[in-house]
Amino acid sequence: MRVPMIAGNWKMNKTPEEAVVLVNELKGLIQNTSAEVVICPTFVALGDVLKATEGSSIKVGAQNMHHQDSGAFTGEISPVFLKAMNIEYVILGHSERRQYFFEGNNEINKKLAAALKHGLKPILCVGETLEQREQGTTYDVIKEQIQKCLENLQEFNLEELIVAYEPVWAIGTGRTATKEDANEVIGFIRQQLIEVLGEKLSLNTRILYGGSVKSSNIRELMDMPEIDGALVGGASLDALEFSKIACY
Ligand code: 13P
């Protein structure tokens, strides 16, 4: 049984103070949902957001982390710090990290191993660019991302792995993949997971869709059999809009 998940990726938005205001609004609005709701603020707001979510069902995740426990990596955040703060989730391999910070599948693989080692629940992002889609290489790209990112992780407990399909051309553009397209690619991702992780684990792994999810399209996406939830960017910054998505 895959419990639906609605996760908000706040990206580089909201000061700690603004983040707490948003959490307090969300707590009042998100009362009745069967979905697991996760919000991912910036590193500097994590502490305040954790405190503000106490006593509510809203869970908290980070947007990235380094793969090493500690060391001379100026400006980086270790999985040990996230775990020490009681952060539950961490987004890894987001396309903005791949695009602007040159993270590749090998690096993301190391981050996944580190997150799993420390008991953080990773939300692994995969997805093709517009160019790759137009060249007809969507499935090749995703196959490679899944295989390389999940290489040699057999020693870890992967039951808490979450995958998000985020077509790069749909992020922040207002262009959503059609529900049929998203469903089909997510079905393909599950087939790839079966090859790498085996059937039992893969059939229980939640796979989210991300890319211009709004309150107006969440229902039709969630009605598709392969789509287990959403990773929401822009629309997660507005309390009313995100609460409508969370309570779809
Ligand atoms: P938007 O919902 O703003 O398109 O962003 C999606 C995303 O990147 C979530 O991680």
Side-chain angles (χ1 to χ4, degrees):
M1 184 26 205
R2 304 194 295 260
V3 177
M5 170 178 280
I6 303 292
N9 174 8
W10 292 2
K11 307 192 180 183
M12 198 173 73
N13 293 291
K14 304 282 175 192
T15 64
E17 200 177 327
E18 290 165 346
V20 170
V21 171
L22 179 50
V23 172
N24 287 333
E25 287 171 348
L26 288 174
K27 284 199 295 188
L29 290 164
I30 302 174
Q31 301 282 0
N32 257 332
T33 175
S34 50
E36 185 177 10
V37 179
V38 182
I39 50 176
C40 304
T42 64
F43 287 127
V44 293
L46 281 173
D48 289 332
V49 164
L50 266 178
K51 266 197 214 107
T53 54
E54 263 172 32
S56 81
S57 58
I58 300 173
K59 301 186 173 167
V60 182
Q63 298 174 16
N64 178 36
M65 53 168 239
H66 197 271
H67 68 268
Q68 298 269 13
D69 290 1
S70 64
F73 301 103
T74 301
E76 289 294 313
I77 300 288
S78 149
V80 176
F81 308 161
L82 298 179
K83 196 60 196 171
M85 290 181 81
N86 283 325
I87 299 297
E88 198 170 337
Y89 290 94
V90 60
I91 299 173
L92 295 175
H94 191 279
S95 64
E96 286 149 17
R97 304 259 1 137
R98 293 176 188 260
Q99 188 180 350
Y100 304 126
F101 304 97
F102 313 109
E103 278 185 26
N105 292 327
N106 290 345
E107 171 70 13
I108 297 160
N109 173 252
K110 286 185 197 155
K111 293 187 179 201
L112 272 164
L116 294 165
K117 180 176 119 188
H118 291 289
L120 293 158
K121 300 175 183 174
I123 303 175
L124 165 66
C125 299
V126 297
E128 81 286 5
T129 62
L130 183 58
E131 200 185 0
Q132 290 163 337
R133 172 157 281 245
E134 284 172 348
Q135 286 167 349
T137 57
T138 297
Y139 290 109
D140 298 330
V141 169
I142 287 174
K143 183 175 179 165
E144 189 179 5
Q145 288 174 335
I146 292 286
Q147 288 188 347
K148 294 221 164 119
C149 291
L150 295 177
E151 211 165 55
N152 297 326
L153 298 180
Q154 293 83 348
E155 68 185 277
F156 300 109
N157 176 6
L158 283 153
E159 273 167 28
E160 303 288 3
L161 171 73
I162 291 149
V163 178
Y165 168 54
E166 297 209 317
V168 179
W169 48 270
I171 296 176
T173 58
R175 277 182 73 182
T176 323
T178 63
K179 58 185 195 300
E180 291 83 7
D181 264 357
N183 191 63
E184 193 179 310
V185 179
I186 289 179
F188 174 79
I189 291 172
R190 198 173 304 286
Q191 286 308 314
Q192 294 310 305
L193 289 180
I194 289 174
E195 283 191 19
V196 183
L197 308 178
E199 190 166 63
K200 187 162 174 278
L201 205 56
S202 306
L203 293 180
N204 287 321
T205 301
R206 289 177 286 181
I207 309 180
L208 319 180
Y209 167 76
S212 299
V213 173
K214 302 184 271 299
S215 60
S216 55
N217 57 23
I218 185 69
R219 182 76 251 175
E220 60 177 39
L221 289 163
M222 294 304 286
D223 279 344
M224 302 307 282
E226 294 288 354
I227 303 179
D228 301 319
L231 183 53
V232 187
S236 69
L237 297 170
D238 181 89
L240 188 58
E241 177 67 2
F242 187 63
S243 66
K244 284 188 193 161
I245 297 171
C247 304
Y248 60 95

